[in-house]
Amino acid sequence: MPHTTSRQIAEHIESLYGRPHAELVAHADSTTHPNMLSALLAAHAAVEFAERDLAFQLQRLRQLIHPEREVGRFDAGHIHDCARRIGEAVAVRDTQAQHITAVLQSLHRVPAPQTTPANTVTPLAPAVAAAATPARAR
């Protein structure tokens, strides 16, 4: 089963940071302080997990309701449990995807500053800037 939602999110993150997903994960893992990249990757991982859980539960439900399989005494509970877990996985995936998409849409890629021997820039640091939002009047 294709995991299109997580794939689209990963592609958006890669595009935003200009690096492959594996490289971004390695960079985030090497950083000890919280940052936007780490938060985006954590939300993406939650979407991936929900999609894997959804695929697993769908496969299990299909096994339980296979036409050639007789539904026994305890099967109804297992079928109900799979259906409940499918609903939960869809809710988690959709909620996480909605929030991460909103965050990704508020960010944009900015050109890296020109580097000179005296001005060295760390990779990934200047790649993302929050989109400008008008100040709220109180």
Side-chain angles (χ1 to χ4, degrees):
M1 171 180 244
H3 302 292
T4 57
T5 303
S6 63
R7 186 177 308 119
Q8 289 170 345
I9 291 169
E11 289 171 358
H12 196 148
I13 294 170
E14 288 174 343
S15 173
L16 188 62
Y17 282 89
R19 303 285 172 95
H21 187 264
E23 190 175 322
L24 294 172
V25 170
H27 177 76
D29 288 346
S30 70
T31 305
T32 58
H33 63 287
N35 58 58
M36 180 62 73
L37 177 59
S38 296
L40 290 171
L41 292 173
H44 174 256
V47 172
E48 280 184 318
F49 180 80
E51 286 180 330
R52 284 192 311 273
D53 188 38
L54 177 58
F56 174 80
Q57 294 301 331
L58 282 170
Q59 179 183 9
R60 179 71 180 132
L61 182 60
R62 287 182 183 118
Q63 291 170 348
L64 289 169
I65 63 169
H66 192 275
E68 295 178 10
R69 186 176 186 276
E70 185 175 327
V71 176
R73 179 180 211 184
F74 300 104
D75 293 323
H78 293 297
I79 292 168
H80 182 265
D81 187 53
C82 279
R84 180 186 56 79
R85 289 174 188 237
I86 288 168
E88 290 172 357
V90 168
V92 168
R93 179 199 62 198
D94 292 351
T95 301
Q96 288 288 339
Q98 180 182 17
H99 289 114
I100 193 170
T101 299
V103 170
L104 286 168
Q105 288 174 348
S106 73
L107 302 173
H108 65 277
R109 188 158 169 70
V110 295
Q114 296 292 330
T115 58
T116 61
N119 180 20
T120 307
V121 178
T122 58
L124 301 177
V128 177
T133 57
R136 290 187 178 170
R138 292 186 188 203

